[in-house]
């Protein structure tokens, strides 16, 4: 009788342990976006891709023209598709930088936003240049700082410079500091897996 009681006690104890283990596994769901070494590797790779994109855009002289892709008559970026001055909603601008963004991110199924940060006196301002949604918790960012000069020319929709200089631009969203340097901006690309 005593042997049977010990056996029954062992079976009940193993059932309690098994139930606790099942409950614990259900509480910690593992998803493709869960933190792991592989997702950290993907985030590092995305950051490197973003940094490389910005460096290539500067090298190919595509970043500054993208910032100066301003429609002086409508006081907004050329063909901006969203509400607001600088917003391209989910579709990049029709310029070299926009084509680079599409080639690098869209082909890989990576969502991204592009922000322009600038100084306004002692404050910092931000323009949403391109918006594809709210970044996930695993988003990474890369940025490049660039100086805009008063005598930099605006660009037409076909990508050619026009006669209007930045100092004469109507309602340009980045404020002029008041000297020959128009302003210093930081272009930030935030990217994340969909």
């Amino acid at each position: 009788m005593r042997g049977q009681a010990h056996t029954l006690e062992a079976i009940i104890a193993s059932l309690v342990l098994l139930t606790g283990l099942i409950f614990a596994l259900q509480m910690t769901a593992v998803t493709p976006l869960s933190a792991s070494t592989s997702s950290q590797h993907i985030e590092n790779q995305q950051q490197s891709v973003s940094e490389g994109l910005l460096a290539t855009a500067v090298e190919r002289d595509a970043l500054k023209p993208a910032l100066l892709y301003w429609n002086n008559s409508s006081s907004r970026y050329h063909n901006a598709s969203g509400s607001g001055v600088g917003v391209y909603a989910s579709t990049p601008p029709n310029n070299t930088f926009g084509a680079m963004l599409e080639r690098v991110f869209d082909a890989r199924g990576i969502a991204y936003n592009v922000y322009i940060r600038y100084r306004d006196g002692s404050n910092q301002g931000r323009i949403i240049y391109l918006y594809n949604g709210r970044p996930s918790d695993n988003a990474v960012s890369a940025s490049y700082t660039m100086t805009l000069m008063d005598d930099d020319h605006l660009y037409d929709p076909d990508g050619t410079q026009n006669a209007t200089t930045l100092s004469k631009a109507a309602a340009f969203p980045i404020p002029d500091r008041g000297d020959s340097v128009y302003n210093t901006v930081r272009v930030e690309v935030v990217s994340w897996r969909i």
Side-chain angles (χ1 to χ4, degrees), residues 65-148:
L67 298 176
L68 301 174
Y69 193 60
W70 183 253
N71 186 336
N72 210 33
S73 58
S74 68
S75 297
R76 60 185 289 145
Y77 281 98
H78 292 290
N79 306 317
S81 54
S83 61
V85 170
V87 179
Y88 288 96
S90 72
T91 305
N94 188 23
N95 56 30
T96 306
F97 182 57
M100 292 173 76
L101 288 167
E102 278 186 312
R103 212 172 22 254
V104 169
F105 292 121
D106 292 342
R108 291 183 171 108
I110 297 173
Y112 56 96
N113 293 335
V114 179
Y115 304 104
I116 303 169
R117 298 185 187 276
Y118 59 88
R119 299 295 292 167
D120 187 6
S122 61
N123 299 322
Q124 184 176 347
R126 182 183 84 161
I127 297 169
I128 300 172
Y129 186 77
L130 191 145
Y131 188 74
N132 279 308
R134 186 170 180 261
S136 73
D137 292 339
N138 296 7
V140 295
S141 71
S143 62
Y144 187 86
T145 302
M146 155 173 296
T147 302
L148 300 176

Side-chain angles (χ1 to χ4, degrees), residues 67-78 85 148-155 162-176 182:
L67 298 176
L68 301 174
Y69 193 60
W70 183 253
N71 186 336
N72 210 33
S73 58
S74 68
S75 297
R76 60 185 289 145
Y77 281 98
H78 292 290
V85 170
L148 300 176
M149 304 300 286
D150 283 341
D151 59 355
D152 285 337
H153 288 264
L154 299 182
Y155 283 78
N162 62 39
T164 308
T165 60
L166 194 51
S167 62
K168 304 291 184 201
F172 194 70
I174 300 167
D176 189 352
Y182 187 85

Side-chain angles (χ1 to χ4, degrees), residues 2-94:
R2 212 171 175 153
Q4 289 176 339
H6 286 292
T7 304
L8 184 60
E9 185 179 331
I11 291 173
I12 292 173
S14 63
L15 284 175
V16 167
L17 281 173
L18 184 62
T19 305
L21 183 62
I22 290 172
F23 181 73
L25 286 175
Q26 287 179 347
M27 295 301 291
T28 58
V30 177
T31 67
L33 296 177
S34 295
S36 68
T37 23
S38 63
S39 70
Q40 183 62 46
H41 175 70
I42 290 170
E43 289 172 22
N44 291 343
Q45 186 178 17
Q46 277 178 227
Q47 182 154 10
S48 294
V49 166
S50 298
E51 289 169 352
L53 168 83
L54 288 170
T56 304
V58 169
E59 183 181 307
R60 292 186 181 170
D61 197 29
L63 191 57
K64 188 179 266 191
L67 298 176
L68 301 174
Y69 193 60
W70 183 253
N71 186 336
N72 210 33
S73 58
S74 68
S75 297
R76 60 185 289 145
Y77 281 98
H78 292 290
N79 306 317
S81 54
S83 61
V85 170
V87 179
Y88 288 96
S90 72
T91 305
N94 188 23

